[in-house]
Amino acid sequence: MKKIVLFSLILGILSGCAIFRTIDVTISNNSDYNAYVSVMEFRRNGDLAGSSGGSDYIELLPHTSASYKLYDKGSVELTKPNRNFLKKSSNKLYEVLNAPKKLVKVFNKTGEKITLSEANNLFDTITMESNDIKDIDVFTMNDFSPSAVNEQGIVLKTVFQSNMLVIGF
């Protein structure tokens, strides 16, 4: 009986150690833009096995990388929309790549000169003349939130549909 209890205890201790298994993960920013990344449940340097996982928010500059020891339930995500997206290439490699561009036709129907920008930096800020029509490249349509202001600083109405953006009052 003692042998069974002792064997069970040793087996329980050894199998319990697997809970804190880590895997070396590289996050590589292969895009041309900064990437804002959240890394959850990883082992910090010097931590003892079994300590709670950390969380980290990092800004990866273009064509740089960072390495982490992720726990089994660890995750890597982009924290805010930008001109790139995250691809899990393997269990050990996450890549940040340039987002594909979509062409959007912009119509300035205000009769005034305006400045058009975007909250998530999904396209470059542009200036449009009265009743102007321009094509712009937008990087991520999911989080697209354009805003337009006239020279007096009045925020104008923007309506987006079918890859067309109409600016009016």
Side-chain angles (χ1 to χ4, degrees):
M1 181 71 177
K2 290 181 183 179
K3 290 181 182 180
I4 294 173
V5 172
L6 182 61
F7 179 72
S8 298
L9 182 61
I10 291 172
L11 184 63
I13 290 171
L14 293 177
S15 65
C17 293
I19 294 172
F20 306 111
R21 185 176 48 226
T22 61
I23 187 168
D24 291 331
V25 172
T26 300
I27 307 160
S28 182
N29 184 358
N30 296 329
S31 78
D32 297 325
Y33 307 97
N34 290 2
Y36 304 93
V37 180
S38 166
V39 183
M40 305 297 273
E41 296 297 323
F42 67 94
R43 183 176 175 185
R44 294 189 186 274
N45 289 341
D47 280 354
L48 299 175
S51 63
S52 63
S55 61
D56 209 358
Y57 299 95
I58 58 172
E59 179 179 357
L60 273 178
L61 299 176
H63 308 289
T64 61
S65 62
S67 295
Y68 286 87
K69 291 183 177 296
L70 283 187
Y71 289 118
D72 286 340
K73 294 186 179 182
S75 65
V76 177
E77 300 172 357
L78 289 179
T79 58
K80 66 179 186 177
N82 203 343
R83 296 178 180 204
N84 41 40
F85 69 97
L86 184 67
K87 176 184 175 188
K88 184 176 181 180
S89 298
S90 70
N91 284 341
K92 295 185 174 194
L93 178 63
Y94 289 83
E95 287 184 283
V96 179
L97 302 169
N98 289 330
K101 297 177 188 176
K102 299 268 184 169
L103 188 66
V104 173
K105 189 170 281 296
V106 182
F107 299 89
N108 177 5
K109 299 288 187 180
T110 63
E112 301 179 13
K113 185 177 181 179
I114 64 156
T115 302
L116 180 65
S117 61
E118 205 282 327
N120 297 309
N121 191 32
L122 299 179
F123 67 84
D124 296 327
T125 300
I126 61 169
T127 302
M128 295 180 70
E129 297 298 325
S130 170
N131 300 314
D132 200 3
I133 298 173
K134 285 190 177 182
D135 291 331
I136 61 171
D137 288 324
V138 179
F139 284 87
T140 306
M141 300 304 284
N142 297 345
D143 300 296
F144 184 53
S145 68
S147 66
V149 294
N150 64 10
E151 290 181 306
Q152 292 79 31
I154 297 172
V155 178
L156 304 168
K157 182 178 177 182
T158 58
V159 178
F160 180 70
Q161 57 187 355
S162 303
N163 290 344
M164 293 187 296
L165 179 65
V166 179
I167 301 159
F169 288 105

